[in-house]
Structure formats: structure tokens, C-alpha cells
Amino acid sequence: MSAAFRSMARGMVQMAALAALSLSALSVTLSPVLAQNMFAPVAYVNDKVVTRYELTQRVALLRVLGGAASEKDALDALIDERLKAEAAARVGLRITDEQIAQGIQEFAARGQLKPEQFLSLMAKNGVSAQTVRDFLSTGLIWRDYARGRFGAKAQVSDSEIDRALQNNGPSGGLRVLLSELFLPARTPEETAKSEALVKEIAANPTISNFAAAAAKYSVAPSREKSGRMDWVAVGDLPPPLRAAVITLKPGEMTAPLSTGNAIGVFQLRQIAETDVATPNADAIEYAAYYIAGGRSEAALKRAAQVKASVDTCDDLYGIAKDEPETVLQIDTLPVKDIPNDVAIELSKLDPGEVSTALTRADGQTLVFLMMCGRSYEANDSADRDQIRQQLLSQRIGALADSFVAELRADATIVIP
């Protein structure tokens, strides 16, 4: 099962609450002109078309499931699904009605619903049963395709299992030295260009070449240090990066990780054992104080003033007391629910430390990000077979995601 599919499945537990925020049902009779507009192309993917109706349906589906609901995210997902379907069709993969029915049943059960209740909820929120079937069908077919294509390449060694157990166990842990490189991905064209550049870097990923590329191309402030990060405990990394890093050898790169408006790649420079256990971070409390002006001199000066005035996250309440409530956000969230770019920055921080690497509103707002504290999972023991399957699934997922990026870079994609 792909990461995107698992993410959507987890959202099912929130469906009942989200149903109250229903969208307008598409039950009205459409005029011929409106119907024509709804089925107008919004993207061409090789010789396939994505229609306005499909895009509208996907946005509605994502909103019911509690996921991202922007048209850009929905269109990107539909484009990727066209490419996945093409790849699966080339090897003759098909899905049966029985498999789709089973998928709907399993998906509905995650929200403690029966299949007919699940489909009825979707219908009330303007999502057709066929849209649900298409969504699940693509996920099921791609899962089988990824296992068949990448299963042999994704073998997990005993030493990797030992490393994972050490990371989770009470006897000690691991810390890593990473380098990071972030490239812009605000539009499909920009994303394709950045993905092509990543492929060029990956063709000769020496530590010196990666550093030179980070200094030249990265849009992150760490470009001033050629992308080099300080030591970080593996357990403090966000789950997607943690899963990727644990299988790397020094000098190797991760597959691209999306952070919304950018894609990031990481290179492992060094790994070291520690005497202190490094369990996985379970939840993080953090503060985000938003400063107008992006990375302007005035905004950075304001951030420096705030940093000098606060020692803890609670101190930010005093800083923001005369400002709109929206300028300060203090949350405690499961690590998996924290946006990737925020989670990556937080992994570099200890409680009380600050990052000003991120922006919002297309670069017009500076994020003053402060780590408040972490809680950790209790991992007293772990089964080797379970760890093997987890690592195998993570590796297949990473290989499959990288393959989709290649398909996208090689495809003819036109967005009218």
C-alpha cells in the first residue's frame, strides 16, 4: 500500500466528525453547457485526459477524508495516478470487482462504518461511488505493481534489522550527520525541472558534489553551509526521512521527499552509535510565530529580537499579546501529522531552540519556529519479522515513489 493510500486510510477515523462539514451535493440537473465545462480537460497526461469533473470529485473526496483539499494537490495526485495506471497496464495488471469490494469494506471499517454507510456518506458530500472505486482501484493495483517490480530490489539484510532494533531499543541508539538540498516545486513545470536536477545529482552523488549542488541550487538557508546539518538522533527525524535514512550508507542519497512547495533530498555523511537510547519521537509540541515580510531584513531583524526575548514557547504569548490570534500557533501533534517541512526543521532543534528557515504565503511570511518538547514511543521490544516487513514496505514505497518521479519527468504533461 502506498504512503498516499495509507495516509488517506488513516483519515477515515475522522470521517464522522468531518461529515458535518458536507459539501454541496451534486444532485442538481446540469445544463448542457455546464456539463460540457465539467468534463473539459484540466490536464493531458501522455495520451490520457484528466477532466474538470474528476478534479472536482477528487477535491471533495480529500475533504471528506480530512486530507489536503487544494486543487493543485488533487491534480498532482490524478496525474500521478494516470502514470501509475499506464505502467500497470503495460504489464497487464488488472483488479477484480471482488478486490474493489474488499477494499471498500476495509476502508470503511477504518471509520467503523459498513460499506453502504461509507458510500452513502460520500454521496451526501458530493462524491460518487465510481470516484471511490477508481481511487481505491488505483491504490490496490499500484500496491501489487510496486511489490512485483521492486520486491526483489528491496531486500532487507540482517544488519539493517539490527540497526533498526538498536535505534528502537534501550541499549543504545544512532545519530546521523546529514546534508540537505531543497528545490522549488510550486508548479508542475518547476517540479519537473527540480526532479530532473535531482536525477542529475543522483547520477554522481559524492559528498563533495552534493555539497556543491546544495550551495548552488538549494532554496533552503542551509545552502550557506553547503546543505550540511548538525548531528541529529535518528529517532528525532520525521517518519518518512527516518525510514529513508536508516537504510543508507554514507554517501548515499534519499529519494525526493515532498514538503508542499518544494522537494528535498538528503545525503548521509556519517553515522555513529550512542550510549543513550534514541526511541522514535511520538508527538511534538512546537510554536509557530508568523512575521510579515518573509526573509526581508526587517522580518529577520524582528525574528532576532523575538529570539533574544524568549526562552520557552510560553514566552511567545507575551510577544503576541497585542497582535491577531492568527500570528501565533502552539500545537502538540503526532509526528505523522506535522507538515514535512516543519517536521524536518523541528528534527534539528532541542527544546527552546528556534529556526527561521521556513516561510509561508509564497515567501511573504517568515515562520519563527520554536521547539517546545517531544514525547517518545515506548519500544521495549520488537519482533525481527515485523521490523523486516516494515523496512521492506518502506523501501518498496521509496523505490515506487522514485519511479513515479521518473515517469513524471519523462511524460508529456500539458495543463491548459
Side-chain angles (χ1 to χ4, degrees):
M1 186 181 294
S2 70
F5 186 72
R6 288 196 303 272
S7 177
M8 291 302 135
R10 283 196 296 267
M12 283 295 302
V13 299
Q14 301 173 347
M15 267 194 324
L18 290 166
L21 303 176
S22 60
L23 307 173
S24 297
L26 303 177
S27 58
V28 296
T29 301
L30 300 177
S31 69
V33 173
L34 181 56
Q36 185 178 4
N37 289 340
M38 285 190 66
F39 289 95
V42 292
Y44 297 91
V45 185
N46 294 330
D47 60 345
K48 301 293 190 294
V49 171
V50 178
T51 68
R52 167 60 58 183
Y53 174 75
E54 290 176 288
L55 180 58
T56 301
Q57 285 281 289
R58 179 54 59 89
V59 171
L61 175 66
L62 292 178
R63 285 177 178 170
V64 178
L65 295 180
S70 73
E71 283 201 353
K72 179 183 181 300
D73 290 336
L75 183 58
D76 283 343
L78 288 167
I79 290 171
D80 285 348
E81 287 173 17
R82 288 292 190 276
L83 298 172
K84 292 175 181 179
E86 283 186 3
R90 283 195 290 267
V91 297
L93 270 182
R94 298 287 186 273
I95 200 82
T96 66
D97 291 340
E98 290 75 14
Q99 288 174 299
I100 295 175
Q102 180 65 28
I104 292 174
Q105 182 176 355
E106 293 175 358
F107 209 73
R110 297 178 188 274
Q112 299 181 335
L113 297 173
K114 295 180 180 179
E116 57 272 20
Q117 292 174 315
F118 171 45
L119 293 176
S120 176
L121 172 63
M122 288 293 176
K124 290 178 181 177
N125 287 273
V127 182
S128 74
Q130 188 59 49
T131 293
V132 175
R133 293 188 182 95
D134 290 344
F135 172 70
L136 293 178
S137 176
T138 301
L140 292 169
I141 290 175
W142 187 246
R143 179 194 63 186
D144 292 345
Y145 179 90
R147 287 175 177 173
R149 183 179 179 95
F150 303 112
K153 298 181 181 179
Q155 297 304 307
V156 178
S157 67
D158 287 339
S159 62
E160 289 170 328
I161 297 174
D162 291 339
R163 182 184 294 181
L165 287 170
Q166 183 182 45
N167 175 47
N168 290 331
S171 60
L174 299 171
R175 60 177 187 157
V176 290
L177 269 179
L178 300 173
S179 293
E180 63 180 7
L181 188 158
F182 285 89
L183 299 172
R186 294 166 293 186
T187 65
E189 294 78 13
E190 203 171 56
T191 300
K193 184 177 179 180
S194 293
E195 288 171 346
L197 180 56
V198 168
K199 291 176 67 175
E200 290 181 18
I201 297 168
N204 188 20
T206 65
I207 290 177
S208 60
N209 284 351
F210 190 96
K216 183 175 182 180
Y217 300 112
S218 183
V219 296
S222 60
R223 67 180 178 274
E224 297 177 1
K225 300 189 297 181
S226 298
R228 294 184 180 90
M229 298 167 55
D230 294 329
W231 284 102
V232 60
V234 170
D236 288 345
L237 296 174
L241 182 54
R242 182 193 310 150
V245 166
I246 197 96
T247 63
L248 297 181
K249 298 176 182 177
E252 292 183 339
M253 288 171 46
T254 67
L257 299 174
S258 174
T259 62
N261 290 328
I263 57 174
V265 288
F266 296 80
Q267 183 182 58
L268 178 64
R269 301 190 340 255
Q270 192 174 343
I271 188 167
E273 298 180 5
T274 67
D275 294 330
V276 179
T278 55
N280 296 336
D282 180 49
I284 295 178
E285 182 182 12
Y286 67 96
Y289 176 63
Y290 300 104
I291 301 173
R295 303 200 63 78
S296 66
E297 183 179 349
L300 292 172
K301 181 178 179 180
R302 171 60 175 162
Q305 292 171 341
V306 173
K307 183 177 179 180
S309 303
V310 299
D311 296 312
T312 68
C313 291
D314 286 344
D315 294 337
L316 288 170
Y317 286 115
I319 297 293
K321 64 180 180 180
D322 296 324
E323 300 180 64
E325 292 183 4
T326 53
V327 305
L328 178 61
Q329 174 186 358
I330 299 181
D331 285 321
T332 300
L333 295 175
V335 174
K336 64 181 178 60
D337 292 339
I338 298 174
N340 273 347
D341 57 345
V342 175
I344 289 168
E345 285 304 308
L346 290 173
S347 71
K348 308 172 188 177
L349 305 178
D350 289 326
E353 292 184 339
V354 168
S355 165
T356 55
L358 302 180
T359 60
R360 290 292 185 264
D362 199 23
Q364 299 305 303
T365 300
L366 182 68
V367 181
F368 182 94
L369 186 68
M370 189 172 194
M371 163 66 74
C372 308
R374 293 183 180 90
S375 62
Y376 291 91
E377 298 174 354
N379 289 317
D380 296 331
S381 63
D383 181 83
R384 291 186 68 85
D385 287 339
Q386 182 181 9
I387 293 294
R388 184 186 298 277
Q389 290 304 314
Q390 289 175 350
L391 292 177
L392 185 63
S393 177
Q394 291 162 0
R395 185 164 294 179
I396 290 174
L399 289 169
D401 289 344
S402 180
F403 180 61
V404 172
E406 292 180 15
L407 290 176
R408 189 159 185 151
D410 296 337
T412 301
I413 300 172
V414 178
I415 300 176

